[in-house]
Structure formats: structure tokens, C-alpha cells
Amino acid sequence: MTIEKKNSYDFYLILATALVLAVISGICVYGMFYFKFAQLQQLDPVTKGAYMEWMNQLVSPFIIVLIVLLAICVPKRLLPTEWLNRFALALLIVVLVTTWFRGVVMALMVTLGITLSLQLLVLVMALAGSGRLNFERKGYWLRVGSSSLHLGLVLFILDLFLYKNHALHLALFWVTTVATVFGMTACFYSPAIAKWAGGFSQENSSENEDLS
């Protein structure tokens, strides 16, 4: 019963995350094509600014939902299912208190900060080969890839908040790109990477034995 509940929980989280990402992608694609074909770049700065503000308002609710989903998805790697509800409640209290005193943007930043810290911990534990992480699939590189991919997603959202800081924005962009590309590669080609890494390790062991 617990396993079925956990699988159902994971399925709905994955489904919700995929749907939100699809909506965000659709809005971004629509915005780019509309900007190009409506030739908004030729209009005055006020009109272009109003368009950008409208697009930001359109995508903002989905970004907020994605942040909340990530704040739930990441801890489930570390916590059993029965503890996730408690964590979600504690996080909700923190968000509400932060919103009351510092506003919604700061509350989202705090949520992202907590999520980023937990995801970094998950990635470190995955790299160390920890068996305490909760993953649907087994396999070292699959777990590392999934952890890196989620880290890239968290950093991508964080980058949206910090885009005005050009130096930090550029650094986050490249770190996000590397983490995402590495994560996808490790996930999709985990058997090949595992085979190559195993062969490379055996080759080094043979060389060390010959030298000794």
C-alpha cells in the first residue's frame, strides 16, 4: 500500500511538473514569435516595456507553481513520503511569514534557496553513491544525471529572478547549461556511461597491477 501510494505521489508530481513546464515553454515560444512577427522591436521603448511586463504577468503564476512543485519534488529524494507533508507544511509557514514581512518575491527567493540547498545535498549524496536517496530507478549515473538535471532546473528559475545582475546572470546561465546538459546526457545514456566508466576503471586497475 505504501509503495503504491509513493508511486502515485511521484506520478502526479512528475505529471504536474511536465504540464507546467509545457505551459511555460508554450508561453515563451508564443512570446518570441509574436515579438518577431508583430515587429515590436521597431516600436517605442514604452510599448516594448508594456509588452514585456504583460508577458511577465502571464508567465509568473506558472513560475510560482513550478517553484512550489520543485520545493516538493526535491525533498522527496531525502525524506520518506509520510514526512513530505510535514515538510510542505513547514515550508508553507515559512513562505507565509516571509510574504507577510518581506513580500512575495522574497518568499519565492527563500523557497528557491531552500530548494537549491537541498538539491545540492542530493547531488553530493548521489555522486557519493549514497543508498539513502529515494529514486524510482536504480543506477549510479541515472541518479547523478537526475540530480544534476533538477539542479539545472532550480538554477534556471533562480536565474529568472537575478537577470538584472548581468555578471551573476551570465555565470548562472553557464552553470545551468552545464548542469542540464550533463544531467540529460547521464540520464539518457547512463548504460553507455556506466559501461565506459567500468571499462576505464578496469583498465587503470590493470595498469596499476602491471606497474606493481
Side-chain angles (χ1 to χ4, degrees):
M1 184 68 178
T2 304
I3 296 177
E4 292 180 358
K5 183 178 179 181
K6 183 177 183 298
N7 290 338
S8 177
Y9 194 87
D10 289 340
F11 172 76
Y12 287 119
L13 278 177
I14 293 171
L15 181 61
T17 304
L19 288 175
V20 172
L21 285 173
V23 172
I24 293 174
S25 300
I27 293 174
C28 292
V29 171
Y30 166 79
M32 288 188 296
F33 278 101
Y34 182 83
F35 188 88
K36 177 178 177 60
F37 290 112
Q39 297 184 345
L40 294 181
Q41 68 273 13
Q42 299 180 6
L43 300 179
D44 59 279
V46 176
T47 304
K48 288 191 289 186
Y51 171 75
M52 296 299 295
E53 182 64 25
W54 177 70
M55 290 300 298
N56 288 336
Q57 292 178 0
L58 185 62
V59 78
S60 292
F62 300 101
I63 296 294
I64 293 173
V65 173
L66 184 59
I67 292 173
V68 173
L69 287 172
L70 284 174
I72 298 174
C73 286
V74 172
K76 77 183 179 69
R77 302 297 186 197
L78 298 166
L79 302 174
T81 305
E82 56 270 17
W83 276 91
L84 285 177
N85 294 330
R86 302 174 188 177
F87 175 84
L89 179 61
L91 182 63
L92 178 61
I93 294 174
V94 171
V95 169
L96 290 176
V97 171
T98 307
T99 302
W100 178 266
F101 288 102
R102 299 296 301 274
V104 176
V105 175
M106 180 56 67
L108 293 175
M109 290 290 290
V110 169
T111 306
L112 276 175
I114 295 173
T115 305
L116 178 60
S117 301
L118 292 176
Q119 187 57 44
L120 284 171
L121 176 61
V122 170
L123 179 58
V124 170
M125 292 177 67
L127 286 169
S130 174
R132 300 179 62 182
L133 295 174
N134 302 313
F135 281 90
E136 287 296 307
R137 302 285 185 89
K138 294 183 178 180
Y140 176 81
W141 289 106
L142 191 61
R143 294 186 172 200
V144 170
S146 176
S147 302
S148 180
L149 187 59
H150 278 81
L151 178 63
L153 188 56
V154 175
L155 290 174
F156 169 74
I157 300 174
L158 183 63
D159 193 27
L160 295 177
F161 285 87
L162 303 174
Y163 73 95
K164 291 184 179 180
N165 188 327
H166 297 293
L168 186 58
H169 166 68
L170 186 61
L172 277 176
F173 170 79
W174 284 112
V175 173
T176 300
T177 302
V178 171
T180 304
V181 172
F182 171 76
M184 289 191 295
T185 303
C187 285
F188 291 127
Y189 300 101
S190 56
I193 296 175
K195 184 178 180 181
W196 175 83
F200 182 76
S201 177
Q202 291 178 0
E203 183 179 345
N204 284 343
S205 299
S206 300
E207 290 180 357
N208 291 333
E209 289 177 0
D210 293 339
L211 289 174
S212 61

